[in-house]
Amino acid sequence: MKKMDESVRFVKNVWALTKSYWQSEEKKKAYLLLLAIIALTLGVVFMLVQLNQWYNIFYSALQNYEKEKIFSELFHFSWLAFIYIILAVYAFYLQQVLIINWRRWLTNEYIDEWLNHKTYYRLQMFGTATDNPDQRISEDVRMFVEYTLRFGIGILKAFTTFASFVVILYNLSGPLQFKLAGMDIHIPGYLVWTALLYSIIGTWLTYKVGNKLVGLNFVQQKYEADFRFAMMRMRENAESVAFYSGEGHEGSVFKKRFSLLLNNFWSIIKKQKQLTWLNSWYSQIAIIFPLVVAMPRYLAKEITLGGLMQISSAFGRVQESLSYFVDMYSSIAEWQAVVERLTGFGLHMQQVKQENAQQDLQRKPGASDAIVATDMDVTLPDESAVLQNVSFTLKPGTNVLIKGVSGSGKSTLLRALAGIWPYVKGTLEIPEESKLMFIPQRPYLPLGTLKESLLYPGTESRTDEELKQLMEDCCIGYLYEKLYLEADWSHVLSVGEQQRLAFVRALIYKPVWLFLDEASSALDEETEAKVYTLLMEEAQQTTLVSVGHRSTLNKYHQKVLYLDKETHSLYWQEKTLL
């Protein structure tokens, strides 16, 4: 019963993942391709039937030494084979076209789902049930599309092959007659029942031997992704590891994860070895088995050599179609693991979105030119308090410096104002989202040219001369010559250089509200003073809200908002510009 429930759940999951594309805006093109593939597949089966009939004619002519017939049938075979090859090639080609289209559409859907409403951030910060979403989108989507189409077409081909050849085999096999316990036994079309019994036994044995492969493949994909992630993470933090001389620790982490990967892989190999033993014996016996069971009729001269060869071919096709599960079990196990991972990934994204939708914060973008928080509670995921029942107003034109001891929740407060922290209650009135810009301590620099990094997220444009002037103003003008150089700039540039580029970006966009989370922590005081002064002179309509510890920041802000870690409250302290 449990296995039945799992099978039903698997089919439902496959349908849930499949139907979205076939109900999308691309469904007409998809159905046309699918119909063409089905037609070509049926054409391939038809040609197999023709080739099966050719076996009888050719080998009968060979048995009777009919020279002209032999050469005539060889020519006949050549054009049958030619047509078969054309149908098979284009069936494969159109399948690949459909796979590409389907994968492109489904990948875009997952990317949008992952990025919308900052789901990627919430999954990483709070979604403990999902690992390696990059692998889900890149690898698992590809495997799901390929396996689903392959098995769908494979089942169609197996069914039509069985339907076509079972009639031929039934007619060719004749009845089997023998006595058992004094009774005359008469079995019409006995080779059909033999093929069915042979396939049932093979399918049952394959299931018993290989049913654990599903779980093993699921875990293997996780271990592979974890191993890649560990190395990728070290690459991204190569300088920090080098400073600490942490190669030994990193190496032990790599080896530990690789050991888990190998141990599970050995388990897979052992199971696949057992399956290979079974499949090899099964397929080799299938070659000789129909000849053995049909040999009595041939020796009794009830069928010709051509009939014997046709029986062998037809039996092979029937047995092959009935044994589709046997031949594809390893791939089916991988397919099931992929479906489970993609389904789980989708459920986790929906869960994160629902949790975000159910949060108690009443966020009202565009409700005010100021930022007004009323009765706001901010907590951590474990429900411990950061801020309790706080109310404050940030007025446009009044720069605010947020202070507090480490761990008091300064950065968490900015996350709450940005709308990316889900554990918030109360009411928050803010200007339109487009008027806000947040700069973290380590700014994000996307892959691409340096100019693309400066203009990120790409809603503004500037001439090279304008960018050159801004870069010089922010003490980063020496990078101007690399404006069109593509690189992973987050690893090429120091944190200080990245922070200066972030100030260039702020001067390009000149938001109405600019939130800086220790955005000048890696700058010397002279450079910090220069970029803050530049902001106040060049972006006079911008209100600054900074998080920082340095006293040098005081003179650029009119007020200080202090967070008290002990009482989970905040209070204002007036400051005078120096």
Side-chain angles (χ1 to χ4, degrees):
M1 182 61 70
K2 182 179 178 182
K3 295 294 183 182
M4 180 65 70
D5 292 340
E6 289 178 357
S7 299
V8 171
R9 180 169 58 86
F10 171 65
V11 172
K12 288 182 178 179
N13 288 340
V14 171
W15 172 242
L17 292 170
T18 302
K19 67 179 181 180
S20 56
Y21 177 64
W22 298 94
Q23 296 174 352
S24 71
E25 68 283 357
E26 295 190 12
K27 62 182 179 182
K28 290 184 179 179
K29 181 169 64 174
Y31 278 114
L32 285 175
L33 278 171
L34 183 61
L35 288 174
I37 293 168
I38 291 173
L40 289 169
T41 302
L42 295 177
V44 167
V45 174
F46 176 77
M47 294 310 299
L48 290 175
V49 172
Q50 299 302 308
L51 287 167
N52 177 262
Q53 294 175 353
W54 176 87
Y55 274 107
N56 194 337
I57 298 172
F58 176 75
Y59 282 100
S60 293
L62 203 62
Q63 181 183 24
N64 297 325
Y65 299 96
E66 300 176 28
K67 184 177 180 180
E68 292 185 3
K69 188 69 172 176
I70 290 172
F71 285 102
S72 173
E73 287 305 314
L74 287 174
F75 178 75
H76 184 201
F77 175 83
S78 64
W79 67 259
L80 286 176
F82 179 71
I83 295 174
Y84 172 84
I85 291 170
I86 291 176
L87 293 173
V89 167
Y90 277 95
F92 168 80
Y93 172 72
L94 292 183
Q95 282 186 54
Q96 299 310 304
V97 172
L98 182 53
I99 286 172
I100 290 172
N101 290 342
W102 191 354
R103 182 187 178 188
R104 171 186 49 76
W105 185 90
L106 192 57
T107 299
N108 289 337
E109 287 294 302
Y110 269 101
I111 289 174
D112 292 342
E113 189 83 1
W114 188 48
L115 295 180
N116 286 346
H117 308 292
K118 296 181 173 57
T119 303
Y120 61 93
Y121 171 77
R122 295 188 172 93
L123 275 176
Q124 180 174 337
M125 294 292 291
F126 318 113
T128 57
T130 298
D131 59 275
N132 307 300
D134 53 313
Q135 184 196 24
R136 303 285 173 265
I137 296 174
S138 63
E139 187 71 11
D140 288 343
V141 167
R142 177 188 64 81
M143 294 175 69
F144 169 74
V145 170
E146 289 180 356
Y147 282 147
T148 301
L149 191 59
R150 183 199 304 178
F151 292 131
I153 298 300
I155 290 171
L156 171 67
K157 185 177 180 182
F159 176 78
T160 53
T161 299
F162 174 78
S164 301
F165 281 92
V166 72
V167 177
I168 295 173
L169 186 61
Y170 186 89
N171 292 331
L172 287 172
S173 62
L176 176 64
Q177 299 179 359
F178 59 92
K179 286 184 176 294
L180 181 64
M183 298 176 59
D184 291 327
I185 305 297
H186 179 84
I187 304 176
Y190 72 98
L191 286 177
V192 173
W193 309 114
T194 304
L196 180 61
L197 181 62
Y198 187 81
S199 301
I200 290 174
I201 293 173
T203 301
W204 181 79
L205 288 174
T206 300
Y207 174 76
K208 295 298 290 184
V209 170
N211 70 89
K212 291 185 179 179
L213 273 174
V214 175
L216 290 172
N217 279 312
F218 183 92
V219 174
Q220 184 67 19
Q221 288 295 324
K222 180 182 183 302
Y223 287 158
E224 294 276 4
D226 288 344
F227 180 55
R228 289 195 302 269
F229 175 76
M231 291 188 290
M232 181 179 68
R233 189 171 183 273
M234 179 186 167
R235 187 187 66 187
E236 292 178 347
N237 297 277
E239 186 176 59
S240 299
V241 174
F243 273 126
Y244 279 109
S245 296
E247 298 84 5
H249 175 78
E250 296 297 325
S252 65
V253 171
F254 297 159
K255 291 172 183 177
K256 179 180 179 181
R257 294 195 173 191
F258 189 62
S259 177
L260 291 173
L261 182 158
L262 281 184
N263 290 338
N264 192 73
F265 191 57
W266 273 116
S267 299
I268 292 176
I269 289 175
K270 290 175 183 177
K271 278 296 171 187
Q272 288 182 334
K273 176 186 174 184
Q274 295 173 2
L275 271 180
T276 302
W277 272 106
L278 176 61
N279 288 337
S280 297
W281 278 103
Y282 186 79
S283 59
Q284 292 303 311
I285 293 173
I287 296 173
I288 198 71
F289 188 72
L291 296 176
V292 172
V293 294
M295 190 62 67
R297 296 196 67 211
Y298 175 72
L299 295 177
K301 297 183 180 181
E302 295 177 4
I303 55 174
T304 63
L305 176 62
L308 181 64
M309 298 307 296
Q310 189 179 10
I311 286 174
S312 176
S313 173
F315 184 94
R317 298 297 179 187
V318 171
Q319 177 269 324
E320 179 184 329
S321 60
L322 289 172
S323 303
Y324 183 74
F325 176 78
V326 175
D327 299 331
M328 302 301 294
Y329 191 87
S330 294
S331 297
I332 291 173
E334 292 182 13
W335 182 37
Q336 188 171 349
V338 166
V339 169
E340 288 183 8
R341 288 195 299 271
L342 278 179
T343 302
F345 180 44
L347 289 174
H348 297 153
M349 287 195 292
Q350 289 299 321
Q351 182 180 357
V352 167
K353 287 183 178 180
Q354 288 173 4
E355 290 175 354
N356 180 60
Q358 293 170 359
Q359 65 183 10
D360 296 322
L361 176 67
Q362 299 297 314
R363 186 178 174 85
K364 301 177 180 179
S368 172
D369 291 333
I371 295 175
V372 183
T374 306
D375 300 328
M376 178 184 285
D377 291 336
V378 181
T379 61
L380 297 177
D382 61 3
E383 298 185 357
S384 58
V386 177
L387 293 171
Q388 288 182 326
N389 197 30
V390 297
S391 299
F392 59 89
T393 299
L394 306 180
K395 297 179 180 179
T398 302
N399 296 342
V400 175
L401 178 61
I402 300 176
K403 283 191 172 185
V405 299
S406 296
S408 58
K410 301 182 296 296
S411 296
T412 303
L413 176 59
L414 287 194
R415 295 186 187 111
L417 297 178
I420 64 175
W421 191 258
Y423 306 104
V424 187
K425 297 179 181 179
T427 303
L428 181 63
E429 297 179 11
I430 58 171
E432 296 175 3
E433 302 281 2
S434 60
K435 296 180 179 180
L436 310 179
M437 175 181 279
F438 292 79
I439 298 180
Q441 184 174 3
R442 188 172 186 124
Y444 175 68
L445 301 179
L447 297 174
T449 65
L450 186 61
K451 183 174 182 178
E452 290 171 339
S453 291
L454 288 172
L455 297 176
Y456 184 82
T459 58
E460 292 284 342
S461 62
R462 291 291 186 274
T463 65
D464 291 355
E465 289 302 317
E466 289 175 317
L467 291 178
K468 181 179 182 181
Q469 185 60 53
L470 289 173
M471 292 172 73
E472 289 177 349
D473 291 342
C474 293
C475 308
I476 199 75
Y478 56 88
L479 290 178
Y480 173 74
E481 295 180 354
K482 299 180 179 180
L483 206 59
Y484 289 94
L485 179 65
E486 290 194 12
D488 186 358
W489 294 106
S490 61
H491 291 94
V492 173
L493 304 178
S494 68
V495 178
E497 289 173 321
Q498 293 178 47
Q499 289 187 345
R500 278 174 273 171
L501 287 178
F503 278 97
V504 174
R505 190 184 291 165
L507 288 166
I508 291 172
Y509 284 91
K510 295 180 180 178
V512 176
W513 289 85
L514 180 61
F515 298 83
L516 303 110
D517 187 3
E518 300 196 49
S520 60
S521 60
L523 304 181
D524 58 84
E525 292 184 3
E526 182 181 349
T527 303
E528 179 186 72
K530 189 168 185 178
V531 293
Y532 263 94
T533 301
L534 192 63
L535 274 175
M536 298 180 72
E537 292 176 351
E538 299 296 327
Q540 296 182 10
Q541 302 302 314
T542 299
T543 301
L544 305 181
V545 179
S546 303
V547 170
H549 296 281
R550 289 180 179 174
S551 60
T552 53
L553 291 175
N554 289 352
K555 59 185 176 182
Y556 308 111
H557 303 82
Q558 289 87 9
K559 286 188 174 184
V560 171
L561 186 61
Y562 189 84
L563 275 65
D564 192 322
K565 184 177 181 180
E566 299 298 325
T567 62
H568 310 301
S569 61
L570 50 78
Y571 60 86
W572 289 103
Q573 179 181 358
E574 297 289 341
K575 295 296 296 182
T576 304
L577 281 173
L578 300 178

